[in-house]
Amino acid sequence: SGTCYNGQNNATTDCDFSESGLSIQNFISDAVWNTGSNGTEISWDSIIASKFYQLERGSNTGKICESGTWCNDNVVRKNSWTGKIALLHPSDYGYATSGGVSTSRETCLATRLYSWEDSSIADCKNNNWLNKNSSLWTMNPSAGSTLSNTAFYVSENGNVNGPYVYHSHALFPVVYLKPDVRLVSGEGTIQNPYLLTINN
């Protein structure tokens, strides 16, 4: 519980997640999460999954601008963060496709993620287990020469885009389970959730 960001210009609101936390905290491992951005190296609307993977692990931060209205915060950007719970990466979404009859997985992986809303390659998003038909934030910032307030997200249309971070989109928490966690039963649905155990 505490204060959370809400809206633009660093606006905040009171928030309390103490009653809605995960009940498997002892099963979750600390992990290093890569937070690299596209930087000035490449235009984000031309990046394929494998390039996203490289950039996420690269040296670019989400702040490459030096002045201007949208570059006036004092937040220190880093290329990684260590913690238990994070968000998916753009490359996670790209690699999660299985493709289909009209568009193979290989073609999907060779196609820029920004184009995945195109109906001619609908297999890329429609046969992707991470596609929730709603907008989802990702872990990685989208850097610009005059702004530092954008991040990548998966749109409700199934493509990867880079809007302002004060927009409202869903979160898809990602964790790494400890190596001694075992699946006992379940299908991962609301009706039949996974049942996990930990070997001590």
Side-chain angles (χ1 to χ4, degrees), residues 91-103:
S91 64
D92 294 331
Y93 174 71
Y95 285 126
T97 188
S98 60
V101 175
S102 300
T103 309

PDB file of all heavy atoms in Angstrom, residues 91-103:
ATOM      1  N   SER A  91       9.463  -8.981 -26.867  1.00  0.00           N
ATOM      2  CA  SER A  91       9.921 -10.208 -27.535  1.00  0.00           C
ATOM      3  C   SER A  91       9.166 -11.437 -27.025  1.00  0.00           C
ATOM      4  O   SER A  91       8.937 -12.377 -27.792  1.00  0.00           O
ATOM      5  CB  SER A  91      11.422 -10.403 -27.338  1.00  0.00           C
ATOM      6  OG  SER A  91      11.745 -10.605 -25.979  1.00  0.00           O
ATOM      7  N   ASP A  92       8.769 -11.450 -25.738  1.00  0.00           N
ATOM      8  CA  ASP A  92       7.963 -12.563 -25.211  1.00  0.00           C
ATOM      9  C   ASP A  92       6.694 -12.719 -26.030  1.00  0.00           C
ATOM     10  O   ASP A  92       6.306 -13.826 -26.407  1.00  0.00           O
ATOM     11  CB  ASP A  92       7.581 -12.321 -23.746  1.00  0.00           C
ATOM     12  CG  ASP A  92       8.764 -12.326 -22.811  1.00  0.00           C
ATOM     13  OD1 ASP A  92       9.761 -13.008 -23.108  1.00  0.00           O
ATOM     14  OD2 ASP A  92       8.679 -11.653 -21.766  1.00  0.00           O
ATOM     15  N   TYR A  93       6.051 -11.590 -26.293  1.00  0.00           N
ATOM     16  CA  TYR A  93       4.822 -11.615 -27.085  1.00  0.00           C
ATOM     17  C   TYR A  93       5.103 -12.118 -28.495  1.00  0.00           C
ATOM     18  O   TYR A  93       4.381 -12.961 -29.020  1.00  0.00           O
ATOM     19  CB  TYR A  93       4.202 -10.217 -27.124  1.00  0.00           C
ATOM     20  CG  TYR A  93       3.003 -10.112 -28.036  1.00  0.00           C
ATOM     21  CD1 TYR A  93       1.796 -10.710 -27.695  1.00  0.00           C
ATOM     22  CD2 TYR A  93       3.075  -9.434 -29.246  1.00  0.00           C
ATOM     23  CE1 TYR A  93       0.693 -10.624 -28.540  1.00  0.00           C
ATOM     24  CE2 TYR A  93       1.982  -9.342 -30.087  1.00  0.00           C
ATOM     25  CZ  TYR A  93       0.795  -9.947 -29.728  1.00  0.00           C
ATOM     26  OH  TYR A  93      -0.291  -9.860 -30.572  1.00  0.00           O
ATOM     27  N   GLY A  94       6.168 -11.622 -29.109  1.00  0.00           N
ATOM     28  CA  GLY A  94       6.492 -12.049 -30.461  1.00  0.00           C
ATOM     29  C   GLY A  94       6.775 -13.537 -30.561  1.00  0.00           C
ATOM     30  O   GLY A  94       6.244 -14.228 -31.437  1.00  0.00           O
ATOM     31  N   TYR A  95       7.576 -14.059 -29.648  1.00  0.00           N
ATOM     32  CA  TYR A  95       7.945 -15.478 -29.682  1.00  0.00           C
ATOM     33  C   TYR A  95       6.802 -16.400 -29.274  1.00  0.00           C
ATOM     34  O   TYR A  95       6.873 -17.611 -29.507  1.00  0.00           O
ATOM     35  CB  TYR A  95       9.160 -15.733 -28.790  1.00  0.00           C
ATOM     36  CG  TYR A  95      10.467 -15.261 -29.388  1.00  0.00           C
ATOM     37  CD1 TYR A  95      11.298 -14.395 -28.690  1.00  0.00           C
ATOM     38  CD2 TYR A  95      10.869 -15.681 -30.654  1.00  0.00           C
ATOM     39  CE1 TYR A  95      12.501 -13.962 -29.231  1.00  0.00           C
ATOM     40  CE2 TYR A  95      12.059 -15.249 -31.204  1.00  0.00           C
ATOM     41  CZ  TYR A  95      12.877 -14.398 -30.492  1.00  0.00           C
ATOM     42  OH  TYR A  95      14.066 -13.969 -31.044  1.00  0.00           O
ATOM     43  N   ALA A  96       5.730 -15.865 -28.681  1.00  0.00           N
ATOM     44  CA  ALA A  96       4.618 -16.707 -28.217  1.00  0.00           C
ATOM     45  C   ALA A  96       3.682 -17.131 -29.343  1.00  0.00           C
ATOM     46  O   ALA A  96       2.767 -17.924 -29.116  1.00  0.00           O
ATOM     47  CB  ALA A  96       3.821 -15.982 -27.136  1.00  0.00           C
ATOM     48  N   THR A  97       3.891 -16.645 -30.549  1.00  0.00           N
ATOM     49  CA  THR A  97       3.023 -17.035 -31.662  1.00  0.00           C
ATOM     50  C   THR A  97       3.383 -18.423 -32.183  1.00  0.00           C
ATOM     51  O   THR A  97       4.546 -18.830 -32.152  1.00  0.00           O
ATOM     52  CB  THR A  97       3.109 -16.024 -32.822  1.00  0.00           C
ATOM     53  OG1 THR A  97       2.106 -16.350 -33.800  1.00  0.00           O
ATOM     54  CG2 THR A  97       4.469 -16.031 -33.494  1.00  0.00           C
ATOM     55  N   SER A  98       2.366 -19.137 -32.644  1.00  0.00           N
ATOM     56  CA  SER A  98       2.613 -20.417 -33.312  1.00  0.00           C
ATOM     57  C   SER A  98       2.336 -20.308 -34.808  1.00  0.00           C
ATOM     58  O   SER A  98       2.498 -21.263 -35.546  1.00  0.00           O
ATOM     59  CB  SER A  98       1.747 -21.521 -32.697  1.00  0.00           C
ATOM     60  OG  SER A  98       0.377 -21.199 -32.839  1.00  0.00           O
ATOM     61  N   GLY A  99       1.901 -19.101 -35.241  1.00  0.00           N
ATOM     62  CA  GLY A  99       1.548 -18.957 -36.650  1.00  0.00           C
ATOM     63  C   GLY A  99       0.326 -19.777 -36.965  1.00  0.00           C
ATOM     64  O   GLY A  99      -0.425 -20.176 -36.077  1.00  0.00           O
ATOM     65  N   GLY A 100       0.122 -20.042 -38.255  1.00  0.00           N
ATOM     66  CA  GLY A 100      -1.060 -20.806 -38.650  1.00  0.00           C
ATOM     67  C   GLY A 100      -0.980 -21.249 -40.093  1.00  0.00           C
ATOM     68  O   GLY A 100       0.102 -21.283 -40.690  1.00  0.00           O
ATOM     69  N   VAL A 101      -2.123 -21.553 -40.665  1.00  0.00           N
ATOM     70  CA  VAL A 101      -2.191 -22.058 -42.036  1.00  0.00           C
ATOM     71  C   VAL A 101      -1.802 -20.986 -43.043  1.00  0.00           C
ATOM     72  O   VAL A 101      -1.032 -21.222 -43.970  1.00  0.00           O
ATOM     73  CB  VAL A 101      -3.614 -22.584 -42.339  1.00  0.00           C
ATOM     74  CG1 VAL A 101      -3.727 -23.002 -43.793  1.00  0.00           C
ATOM     75  CG2 VAL A 101      -3.963 -23.739 -41.409  1.00  0.00           C
ATOM     76  N   SER A 102      -2.332 -19.770 -42.867  1.00  0.00           N
ATOM     77  CA  SER A 102      -2.076 -18.690 -43.827  1.00  0.00           C
ATOM     78  C   SER A 102      -0.711 -18.041 -43.647  1.00  0.00           C
ATOM     79  O   SER A 102      -0.087 -17.613 -44.611  1.00  0.00           O
ATOM     80  CB  SER A 102      -3.157 -17.615 -43.718  1.00  0.00           C
ATOM     81  OG  SER A 102      -4.423 -18.168 -43.996  1.00  0.00           O
ATOM     82  N   THR A 103      -0.267 -17.942 -42.394  1.00  0.00           N
ATOM     83  CA  THR A 103       1.009 -17.310 -42.099  1.00  0.00           C
ATOM     84  C   THR A 103       1.793 -18.205 -41.148  1.00  0.00           C
ATOM     85  O   THR A 103       1.337 -18.482 -40.038  1.00  0.00           O
ATOM     86  CB  THR A 103       0.807 -15.926 -41.448  1.00  0.00           C
ATOM     87  OG1 THR A 103      -0.088 -15.149 -42.244  1.00  0.00           O
ATOM     88  CG2 THR A 103       2.123 -15.188 -41.317  1.00  0.00           C
TER      89      THR A 103
END
